[in-house]
Amino acid sequence: MTGHGRETEAWVVESPGPMDTRPLRLVRKAVPDPGPGELLVEVDVCGVCRTDLHLAEGDLAPRAPGRTPGHEAVGRVIATGPDTPGFGPGDRVGAAWLARTCGVCRYCRAGRENLCPESRYTGWDRDGGFARLLIADARYVYALPSDGRDEAELAPLLCAGIIGYRALERAELPRGGRLGIYGFGASAHLTAQLAIARGATVHVLTRAEEARWLALELGAASAGGAYDAPPEPLDAAILFAPVGDLVPVALAALDRGGTLAVAGIHLSDIPALNYAAHLFQERTLRSVTANTRADGRAYLAEVAGLPLRVRTVAYAFGDADRALADLAADRVTGVAVLDLRGRPGAT
């Protein structure tokens, strides 16, 4: 059922493919009324994530035709469905990647809801924040402070920040340890700051020269090319670039007992590994799958007390396809964000 004829502008993935084929289209969509436990949110800002790019280009098959991407959405509640305690009109909230889990499987019961076989995701299973209005399950949104912090700085925390946090935890970096970061986009530049704040020495390996300068500006001890060897052995590494060829490179850079965490939802094929060069001496290779709500709450609480610098590149809402094209071509240093403020969200 639609909300009394309410419509919204939204970008949809019409024909997945390379960005030069223009896979996205701007349309008008009917907006349903919020159901039990749901919120209707007017989006102010939505971060542009590499996962959105994977969806647009077909690396991730859309779960439904005409899906609206976007899972770093910050906005204001304008209506609540029945039985929705804890939120009311005007509250500032963030809708993130994890949109729903079953709550009863063995993974959910064990606090590992990121592995729930019935998990659903914003901008993949349900329409996301590349729209002026979205519907979100109130149990999976984050209450955000109304402390004057700009929405554009909050939006990237909802995926880039949270996923980076989980990747850092999965990498098991010892206190004061040496961390290698491969690729230096949205998530990496936030994760590097968190690791440095925890006392780590961070070495960044990435192909983009401007990203290397940003890494040094944010406090990295070194910044080299993606396939370069870091200046010292690493206790842990995180691979943010979706490039399987870098897996053996990063593993070879680890010290004995080190761990490599692969942070992306999509990765190109990994070449053959040599046991002695890449895995022996108890080196560990781990994946990162989504996040739990506990991860999100812990990350947002930790960075609330840090002078976190969120490097953003703003795009008008009507330029969402250009933002994804720039991301595909490595023309974004930091985080691309869509700014939807300044226009009414519904008719």
Side-chain angles (χ1 to χ4, degrees):
M1 181 176 69
T2 61
H4 307 294
R6 183 187 284 122
E7 290 187 337
T8 187
E9 284 186 296
W11 287 92
V12 299
V13 179
E14 186 174 56
S15 301
M19 288 309 301
D20 60 8
T21 68
R22 302 184 69 84
L24 269 65
R25 186 163 66 94
L26 185 60
V27 302
R28 296 195 68 82
K29 268 189 170 183
V31 181
D33 289 322
E38 291 184 331
L39 306 173
L40 177 62
V41 179
E42 183 170 16
V43 180
D44 291 321
V45 171
C46 188
V48 180
C49 178
R50 189 164 289 275
T51 301
D52 300 317
L53 177 62
H54 293 320
L55 184 71
E57 294 196 317
D59 297 321
L60 293 179
R63 296 279 176 85
R67 179 63 71 220
T68 295
H71 54 274
E72 296 177 326
V74 174
R76 305 276 175 175
V77 176
I78 59 174
T80 63
D83 303 319
T84 310
F87 294 100
D91 288 344
R92 182 158 71 164
V93 297
W97 177 235
L98 187 65
R100 182 170 293 176
T101 57
C102 75
V104 297
C105 71
R106 64 189 181 97
Y107 302 105
C108 288
R109 295 197 308 270
R112 305 171 72 195
E113 64 182 4
N114 61 304
L115 301 180
C116 174
E118 301 300 320
S119 56
R120 298 293 182 265
Y121 300 97
T122 309
W124 193 16
D125 294 290
R126 57 190 300 167
D127 287 336
F130 283 23
R132 296 192 180 277
L133 296 174
L134 67 80
I135 297 288
D137 187 324
R139 297 171 299 172
Y140 292 84
V141 304
Y142 296 96
L144 298 175
S146 298
D147 58 1
R149 187 177 303 181
D150 191 81
E151 286 86 351
E153 295 184 356
L154 288 170
L157 306 185
L158 297 172
C159 179
I162 294 171
I163 291 298
Y165 171 87
R166 185 168 184 88
L168 187 58
E169 296 296 292
R170 292 280 289 166
E172 295 187 341
L173 178 69
R175 184 173 295 275
R178 302 157 296 178
L179 175 68
I181 292 180
Y182 289 80
F184 203 71
S187 190
H189 96 288
L190 297 174
T191 308
Q193 293 178 73
L194 178 59
I196 291 167
R198 290 179 174 184
T201 298
V202 172
H203 300 288
V204 170
L205 297 309
T206 187
R207 65 183 181 179
E209 183 177 1
E210 188 174 353
R212 294 196 290 269
W213 283 110
L214 177 60
L216 295 172
E217 182 182 327
L218 295 176
S222 73
Y227 292 87
D228 293 347
E232 59 182 336
L234 304 172
D235 297 303
I238 303 173
L239 175 59
F240 287 104
V243 181
D245 285 349
L246 288 173
V247 170
V249 174
L251 285 170
L254 292 176
D255 204 350
R256 299 179 180 211
T259 297
L260 169 64
V262 180
I265 191 172
H266 170 77
L267 188 70
S268 60
D269 289 344
I270 300 172
L273 300 178
N274 178 277
Y275 180 67
H278 302 130
L279 294 172
F280 192 55
Q281 302 294 353
E282 299 192 352
R283 298 180 180 92
T284 301
L285 172 62
R286 311 178 93 174
S287 66
V288 178
T289 300
N291 63 275
T292 67
R293 285 170 286 175
D295 291 329
R297 290 189 290 267
Y299 172 70
L300 292 172
E302 184 169 353
V303 299
L306 298 180
L308 196 67
R309 295 175 57 188
V310 186
R311 174 76 172 267
T312 62
V313 181
Y315 292 81
F317 176 62
D319 291 331
D321 52 353
R322 183 168 67 86
L324 284 174
D326 286 349
L327 186 62
D330 285 336
R331 292 191 291 263
V332 177
T333 301
V335 191
V337 295
L338 302 182
D339 195 330
L340 291 81
R341 293 170 289 190
R343 285 186 57 187
T347 59

